[in-house]
Amino acid sequence: EVQLVESGGGLVQPGRSLRLSCAASGFTFDDYAMHWVRQAPGKGLEWVSGISWNSGSIGYADSVKGRFTISRDNAKNSLYLQMNSLRAEDTALYYCAKDIGPAAALPNYWGQGTLVTVSS
Amino acid sequence: QLVLTQSPSASASLGASVKLTCTLSSGHSSYAIAWHQQQPEKGPRYLMKLNSDGSHSKGDGIPDRFSGSSSGAERYLTISSLQSEDEADYYCQTWGGVFGGGTKLTVL
């Protein structure tokens, strides 16, 4: 059974940093691309970033480019999101998602999310 | 620019069928999409990948009541024999991380 468990969310002040983690199990992690998708309170889904199976291809939404960094450790079956210079508009539930294949395209499994609140 | 357009809301009666639409922007009618369901207070769940020719591959455990079809730039999700647990938000998504705005389905 595919399992994706996010952690690292919390309350953080504007301008500070936070690092999210996603522990994956139930599939061969290094065969698949991975994504971070967020959902602000009462809003729709917004893709944040994606990374291919070997980290060779990485993409970011314009809203986070230059502030967020996605990475993965295939030896630890883990996905990360380093978030710097956080803003109030980054407040959201952040989901980790597994792709259907090795190159970042479409997610087919989702975690339960970790909440990030940016407020002073 | 690649954009996916969904109606904000839809409704149908218990036991009936409903067809939700996702429209690809001009020049992108050959793109495949994915449909995701998000029940209230839950994380999203992948329903299916839907190709431009209407062929689709469903996720694990998705009931036969859920099906997909395509026509030009339109991608459809049909839910038959509606059940109360089908009341949810439905999102389409395509390459490059583009999401539609979602359709809130109410089961009457």
Side-chain angles (χ1 to χ4, degrees), chain A residues 7-118:
Chain A
S7 61
L11 175 62
V12 62
Q13 292 179 329
R16 304 298 291 267
S17 298
L18 208 57
R19 188 191 196 210
L20 305 184
S21 298
C22 171
S25 61
F27 64 101
T28 305
F29 184 71
D30 54 10
D31 277 351
Y32 294 93
M34 297 293 294
H35 303 267
W36 288 102
V37 177
R38 69 185 180 184
Q39 188 170 34
K43 301 297 185 182
L45 299 173
E46 179 190 16
W47 178 81
V48 173
S49 182
I51 185 169
S52 63
W53 67 280
N54 64 351
S55 304
S57 178
I58 287 175
Y60 299 96
D62 288 344
S63 57
V64 307
K65 204 171 291 184
R67 300 188 298 123
F68 289 11
T69 302
I70 192 171
S71 61
R72 63 190 294 162
D73 186 335
N74 287 346
K76 295 183 177 179
N77 289 351
S78 293
L79 177 72
Y80 306 101
L81 186 68
Q82 177 67 42
M83 304 186 295
N84 299 332
S85 303
L86 282 161
R87 306 167 179 167
E89 54 265 35
D90 295 319
T91 294
L93 192 56
Y94 284 74
Y95 294 103
C96 166
K98 168 193 166 293
D99 200 275
I100 59 174
L106 299 171
N108 68 344
Y109 281 96
W110 298 76
Q112 288 305 301
T114 186
L115 182 63
V116 173
T117 303
V118 184

Side-chain angles (χ1 to χ4, degrees), chain B residues 64-86:
Chain B
D64 292 342
R65 304 186 294 106
F66 290 82
S67 63
S69 58
S70 298
S71 177
E74 313 261 289
R75 305 288 179 267
Y76 305 107
L77 174 68
T78 299
I79 312 171
S80 57
S81 303
L82 272 169
Q83 301 181 5
S84 57
E85 60 262 34
D86 298 331

